Amino acid sequence: DTAVSQTPKYLVTQMGNDKSIKCEQNLGHDTMYWYKQDSKKFLKIMFSYNNKELIINETVPNRFSPKSPDKAHLNLHINSLELGDSAVYFCASSQVNTGHNNEQFFGPGTRLTVL
Amino acid sequence: AQSVTQLDSHVSVSEGTPVLLRCNYSSSYSPSLFWYVQHPNKGLQLLLKYTSAATLVKGINGFEAEFKKSETSFHLTKPSAHMSDAAEYFCVVRDLNTGGFKTIFGAGTRLFVKA
């Protein structure tokens, strides 16, 4: 029943490791997003995919590589993790092509801690 | 460029008193505006959105917001605060310069509700 799901919910890892976060939406939306929320609760968009195509890449280091195998999934792979990558990562989806007033639906977040 | 400014980082009210969370936007287009709420350690939930159908927008949990073009504002209000309203609130504008694929979050306002 969950509209937007993310796994894992918590991720604790060492600096230098490579990790992935998965996201799935069952709402039939055409657009998916990744956001990073820092310790001060500031939310910033990282990537936006529309129909599996990358639309927005907000000057994110190339250690971050999103992949969208289909419209319902958007995964985030992070190479060579750094301390500054510690944050909560939110996946979201929305239906953009039928109107700009459509809201985004957010996943529960993945709390990444890099030691 | 579109932007959104939340004028207060923290707001503290007593239970049963009115709530006002302020948001100003900058947009060269007719804006697409949203308010989201984030309870501690939770994901984001849509409170309400401005669709240009009406300037006074009613949302969930008794919240409403008024779009004022002349003041470029979209302030969130509630007549009577409840303890369960304590959370982080985000004002969001959809960046139509990017075809609507990017949303810009305000820095957030933390609402405290005193018994």
Side-chain angles (χ1 to χ4, degrees):
Chain A
D1 288 329
T2 305
V4 182
S5 59
Q6 294 178 229
T7 54
K9 188 165 183 177
Y10 300 96
L11 188 51
V12 181
T13 188
Q14 299 287 331
M15 252 189 338
N17 284 350
D18 304 338
K19 290 293 178 187
S20 291
I21 308 172
K22 295 186 176 182
C23 179
E24 177 180 0
Q25 56 99 359
N26 62 7
L27 298 166
H29 289 163
D30 58 17
T31 304
M32 295 185 72
Y33 313 79
W34 277 110
Y35 288 87
K36 180 180 181 181
Q37 185 173 45
D38 63 23
S39 58
K40 294 184 179 176
K41 301 295 184 186
F42 186 66
L43 265 158
K44 192 169 191 313
I45 191 167
M46 300 172 69
F47 301 103
S48 170
Y49 269 73
N50 175 254
N51 289 321
K52 302 193 299 173
E53 298 295 324
L54 179 65
I55 303 294
I56 300 289
N57 181 341
E58 281 292 289
T59 60
V60 179
N62 57 15
R63 297 183 296 104
F64 290 78
S65 52
K67 281 189 173 51
S68 183
D70 55 57
K71 286 198 316 183
H73 296 84
L74 180 62
N75 303 324
L76 183 65
H77 187 76
I78 315 170
N79 289 325
S80 303
L81 278 156
E82 301 177 357
L83 293 176
D85 298 331
S86 296
V88 181
Y89 292 83
F90 285 99
C91 178
S93 73
S94 70
Q95 184 65 22
V96 173
N97 291 346
T98 57
H100 298 305
N101 290 326
N102 295 329
E103 67 268 28
Q104 295 181 355
F105 291 77
F106 284 81
T110 296
R111 183 175 294 275
L112 171 64
T113 303
V114 182
L115 304 174
Chain B
Q2 292 177 293
S3 65
V4 61
T5 302
Q6 292 184 242
L7 298 163
D8 307 292
S9 59
H10 298 88
V11 169
S12 183
V13 301
S14 297
E15 194 174 22
T17 64
V19 175
L20 170 64
L21 305 183
R22 298 183 294 165
C23 173
N24 284 105
Y25 69 89
S26 169
S27 174
S28 52
Y29 297 91
S30 179
S32 199
L33 294 161
F34 308 81
W35 275 100
Y36 284 84
V37 61
Q38 184 181 26
H39 287 93
N41 299 314
K42 299 285 187 187
L44 287 92
Q45 180 184 20
L46 179 73
L47 276 178
L48 48 81
K49 62 182 180 182
Y50 170 65
T51 63
S52 75
T55 55
L56 183 62
V57 182
K58 293 191 183 299
I60 62 171
N61 301 335
F63 284 94
E64 59 184 38
E66 186 170 8
F67 173 72
K68 291 187 177 180
K69 187 175 180 179
S70 60
E71 299 175 12
T72 60
S73 68
F74 190 55
H75 300 336
L76 182 70
T77 60
K78 182 173 180 177
S80 176
H82 192 272
M83 295 297 288
S84 61
D85 294 327
E88 190 88 23
Y89 291 79
F90 295 96
C91 183
V92 180
V93 64
R94 175 156 281 153
D95 183 358
L96 298 182
N97 288 316
T98 59
F101 293 108
K102 177 180 171 182
T103 49
I104 299 167
F105 277 71
T109 299
R110 172 63 64 92
L111 176 65
F112 295 94
V113 182
K114 299 174 288 187

